[in-house]
Amino acid sequence: MLDLIITNIGTLVTPEGHGPKRGAAQGDVRCLTDAAVGIKGGVISYVGLMANAPVAKETLDAGGRLVTPGLVDSHTHLVFGGWRHHELDLKLKGVSYLDILKGGGGILSTVRSTRAASETELTEKALGLSKEMLALGVTTAEAKSGYGLTLEDECKQLRVIRAVDAAQPVDLVPTFLGAHALPQEYKENRAEFVRLVCEEMLPQVAEENLAEFCDIFCETGVFTPEETREVLSAAKALGFKLKAHTDEIDCLGGAQVAAELGAVSAEHLIASDAAAIAAMARAGVIGVLLPATSFYLDKPYAPARAMLEAGMAIAVASDFNPGSSPSLNLQLAMTLACLKYRLTPEETLTAATLNAAAAIDRAETVGSLEVGKKADLVLWETDALSYLFYRFGSNLVHTVVKSGVVI
Ligand code: IZC
Ligand code: ZN
């Protein structure tokens, strides 16, 4: 007998499959009315009409609500010390994100706070944040290091990610982002810092199995496409899967490097040109787009429709971090994706579920409501998908079910 049956689902909407939905297929979703979902051992064992639903030990009446897969936030900087609200004033005076960084603030300000914080303090803080995430409908998330920038402090952040993953329901996928910014102590010696990342940090992170992915911030004034090739090649040789923050502010060629090295995803892509898009489409790189960052930095929105037309798969994530996207509300990012990228509600749902799962190599187990996948789902305060992108600003979650447990 099943453990749980969720009945009386007014509308069930889910993408289907075990890999990303690319191009025109991104909007293909399964839509059922009067549906039910059956769960056994934390895994989905039935998705279909309520009329044919098997019996279970327990029943959850969805009250005619909309049910979707649990949201997947495929790009977050979840673990950090301090905040950066003191930079709001500079921002309002027109000082740019990169100029704040150049002045020793921005990422480097968070690096100072993160180095000063203990592992316990960082864990407590990230636990609180993951609780907020779960309440907003996120059941799986990626989490990056990148605020330590020393071997010891990067490992400290990654151990915090591991501890938070184990201590609460949201599943976390760890990414090493040691090349997030050039620390001030290496200002005059960038080659030495890149060597440190490649020859000391990456091997240690691999040895301790602290991260699955390696990422880098390829941007004007941060790391060059050549340095990106160097770091990601070293990571690839050690067995890491690859990501790259690129084309956030300037289109430098980082997307082509990601494509050349077979990266799973490239992130931001606000400034990507046609050549960058063509290279990513050819190589099957998933575009992880971060519209809340465009909003907060008052930047243009990534050319999402051009990416879909080129045949790319798009994911949408929060980019939660203390500088350029201090919100972990993925629902808000989804609304922005719909309104600003002009993604349809169906394309947007896939972007924050199945394609997001694929961007963190979890499409085999989460991202859709199908037999055999983890029973991660959300009951929403509506019976219609489009309502999620219309009533923006509120948390529209009614109930979250994580691994078959009603939260
Ligand atoms: O702390 O500013 N873009 N890295 C690249 C970030 C934003 C995080 C930050
Ligand atoms: Zn980021």
Side-chain angles (χ1 to χ4, degrees), residues 243-263:
K243 294 181 172 290
H245 283 66
T246 186
D247 302 352
E248 176 176 356
I249 292 152
D250 295 319
C251 187
L252 298 181
Q256 283 88 334
V257 175
E260 170 195 320
L261 295 175

Side-chain angles (χ1 to χ4, degrees), residues 75 77 144 245 268 290 319 321:
H75 183 135
H77 303 250
K144 302 176 194 293
H245 283 66
H268 284 294
L290 311 166
D319 191 21
N321 75 76

Side-chain angles (χ1 to χ4, degrees), residues 26-59:
Q26 176 145 352
D28 295 345
V29 293
R30 182 181 190 197
C31 194
L32 280 173
T33 46
D34 299 323
V37 174
I39 298 164
K40 191 177 169 64
V43 171
I44 297 173
S45 56
Y46 176 82
V47 181
L49 294 179
M50 187 166 48
N52 307 330
V55 287
K57 289 181 211 149
E58 283 184 56
T59 301

Side-chain angles (χ1 to χ4, degrees), residues 70-76 78 126-143 160-174 318 328 330 360 362 366 374-378 400-405 407:
L71 304 182
V72 177
D73 196 340
S74 55
H75 183 135
T76 84
L78 185 66
L127 274 172
L129 293 167
S130 31
K131 198 168 164 194
E132 190 181 337
M133 252 185 183
L134 184 64
L136 287 161
V138 173
T139 47
T140 302
E142 186 249 18
V160 169
I161 294 170
R162 179 184 277 174
V164 174
D165 174 51
Q168 53 75 55
V170 180
D171 287 317
L172 297 181
V173 175
S318 70
L328 43 68
L330 185 53
I360 54 173
R362 288 294 183 278
V366 299
K374 259 192 200 184
D376 294 356
L377 49 96
V378 178
V400 176
V401 177
K402 172 64 193 166
S403 297
V405 177
I407 304 289

Side-chain angles (χ1 to χ4, degrees), residues 223-293:
F223 294 101
T224 65
E226 293 67 35
E227 289 163 339
T228 300
R229 184 179 290 106
E230 207 177 325
V231 170
L232 293 185
S233 300
K236 190 175 178 174
L238 287 164
F240 288 92
K241 291 168 274 191
L242 310 180
K243 294 181 172 290
H245 283 66
T246 186
D247 302 352
E248 176 176 356
I249 292 152
D250 295 319
C251 187
L252 298 181
Q256 283 88 334
V257 175
E260 170 195 320
L261 295 175
V264 175
S265 67
E267 339 280 295
H268 284 294
L269 311 179
I270 291 173
S272 293
D273 62 14
I277 293 172
M280 290 186 286
R282 258 197 313 276
V285 177
I286 298 170
V288 176
L289 307 186
L290 311 166
T293 306

Side-chain angles (χ1 to χ4, degrees), residues 348-367:
T348 309
L349 179 70
T350 300
T353 56
L354 185 59
N355 282 4
I360 54 173
D361 195 24
R362 288 294 183 278
E364 286 295 331
T365 50
V366 299

Side-chain angles (χ1 to χ4, degrees), residues 7 44 48 68 73 75 89 111 133 145 153 166 207 223 234 258 263 272 322 338 351 365 377-379 385 388 399 406:
T7 58
I44 297 173
T68 70
D73 196 340
H75 183 135
D89 187 42
V111 167
M133 252 185 183
S145 67
D153 289 301
E207 163 102 15
F223 294 101
S272 293
C338 184
T365 50
L377 49 96
V378 178
L379 279 63
L385 184 64
L388 296 187
T399 302
V406 180

